[in-house]
C-alpha cells in the first residue's frame, strides 16, 4: 500500500505539477496576450502619431511649395519690371544721347556760322579802315591840291597884276 500510496502521491504530485505548469503556461499566455495587446495599442498609437506627423509634414511641405511658388512669381514679376525699367532707361539714354549729339551739332554749326560772321565783320572793318585811310589820303591830297591851287591863284593874281602894271 505504501507503494500504491507513493504511486498515488507521485501521480497526484505529477498531476499537481502538470496543473501548475498548465496554470503557469496559461498565465504566461495571458501575459503574452496582454503584452501583445499593449504592444498593438502602442503600435496603433505610434502609427496614428506617425500618420499625423506625416500629414503635418505634408501640409508644411505643401505650404512651403506654395510659398516658393508665390516667391518665384514675385521674382518673375520683379525681373519683368526690372527688364522694362532697363529698357526705359536705355531708351532715355538713347534719346538723351541723340539730343546731346543734336545740340552739339547745332552748337558746332552755330559756332561755325558765328566764326564766319566774325570773319566777315573783321573783313568789313578792315575794308572800312582801308577806305578811311584812302579817304584821309584823298582829303590830304585835296587839301594839298587846294593849297597849291591857292598858291597858284595867288601867283597868277600876282602875275596878272604885274602884267597889268607893265
Amino acid at each position: 500500500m505504501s507503494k500504491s500510496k507513493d504511486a498515488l502521491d507521485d501521480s497526484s504530485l505529477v498531476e499537481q505539477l502538470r496543473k501548475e505548469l498548465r496554470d503557469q503556461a496559461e498565465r504566461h499566455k495571458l501575459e503574452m496576450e496582454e503584452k501583445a495587446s499593449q504592444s498593438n495599442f502602442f503600435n496603433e498609437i505610434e502609427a496614428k502619431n506617425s500618420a499625423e506627423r506625416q500629414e503635418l509634414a505634408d501640409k508644411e511641405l505643401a505650404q512651403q511649395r506654395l510659398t516658393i511658388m508665390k516667391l518665384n512669381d514675385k521674382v518673375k514679376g520683379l525681373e519683368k519690371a526690372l527688364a522694362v525699367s532697363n529698357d526705359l532707361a536705355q531708351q532715355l539714354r538713347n534719346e538723351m544721347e541723340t539730343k546731346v549729339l543734336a545740340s552739339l551739332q547745332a552748337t558746332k554749326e552755330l559756332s561755325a556760322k558765328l566764326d564766319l560772321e566774325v570773319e566777315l565783320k573783321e573783313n568789313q572793318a578792315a575794308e572800312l579802315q582801308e577806305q578811311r585811310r584812302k579817304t584821309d589820303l584823298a582829303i590830304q591830297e585835296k587839301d594839298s591840291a587846294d593849297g597849291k591851287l591857292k598858291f597858284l591863284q595867288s601867283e597868277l593874281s600876282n602875275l596878272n597884276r604885274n602884267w597889268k602894271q607893265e
Side-chain angles (χ1 to χ4, degrees):
M1 219 170 152
S2 105
K3 271 190 177 183
S4 81
K5 188 177 178 188
D6 281 340
L8 188 59
D9 283 342
D10 282 344
S11 152
S12 114
L13 186 59
V14 167
E15 197 54 41
Q16 187 178 358
L17 283 173
R18 278 188 188 153
K19 184 178 176 191
E20 283 180 23
L21 283 173
R22 273 191 298 248
D23 286 347
Q24 242 181 5
E26 187 65 27
R27 278 194 308 268
H28 183 67
K29 180 182 170 189
L30 288 174
E31 284 176 7
M32 287 304 183
E33 286 176 356
E34 179 67 24
K35 285 182 181 179
S37 172
Q38 286 178 354
S39 178
N40 285 341
F41 176 72
F42 288 124
N43 286 342
E44 286 175 12
I45 289 175
E46 181 60 31
K48 186 177 177 183
N49 286 343
S50 178
E52 287 174 357
R53 280 193 302 270
Q54 185 62 42
E55 185 179 335
L56 286 174
D58 289 346
K59 284 181 182 178
E60 186 175 332
L61 182 61
Q63 184 62 37
Q64 287 174 350
R65 285 182 179 157
L66 181 62
T67 302
I68 289 170
M69 285 174 31
K70 287 179 181 178
L71 290 174
N72 282 338
D73 289 345
K74 285 183 181 180
V75 167
K76 286 178 184 174
L78 290 173
E79 286 173 344
K80 287 179 183 177
L82 180 61
V84 168
S85 175
N86 286 340
D87 288 346
L88 290 175
Q90 186 61 45
Q91 287 175 0
L92 184 59
R93 276 192 293 274
N94 292 343
E95 289 174 12
M96 292 305 292
E97 184 177 325
T98 301
K99 287 179 181 178
V100 166
L101 290 175
S103 175
L104 183 60
Q105 184 63 33
T107 302
K108 284 180 180 179
E109 290 172 3
L110 182 60
S111 177
K113 184 178 178 183
L114 289 174
D115 287 345
L116 287 175
E117 286 182 20
V118 165
E119 187 178 338
L120 180 63
K121 295 291 183 189
E122 288 173 348
N123 289 341
Q124 287 174 349
E127 286 176 15
L128 285 174
Q129 281 182 333
E130 183 63 24
Q131 285 177 357
R132 181 173 214 162
R133 187 184 66 76
K134 286 179 181 179
T135 303
D136 287 345
L137 282 175
I139 289 172
Q140 286 175 359
E141 287 176 7
K142 180 189 172 281
D143 287 345
S144 175
D146 283 348
K148 286 179 183 178
L149 182 61
K150 281 185 184 181
F151 173 75
L152 288 174
Q153 283 176 344
S154 154
E155 286 293 316
L156 184 61
S157 190
N158 284 338
L159 284 174
N160 273 341
R161 247 181 298 147
N162 287 339
W163 181 69
K164 282 184 185 182
Q165 285 177 358
E166 286 184 21

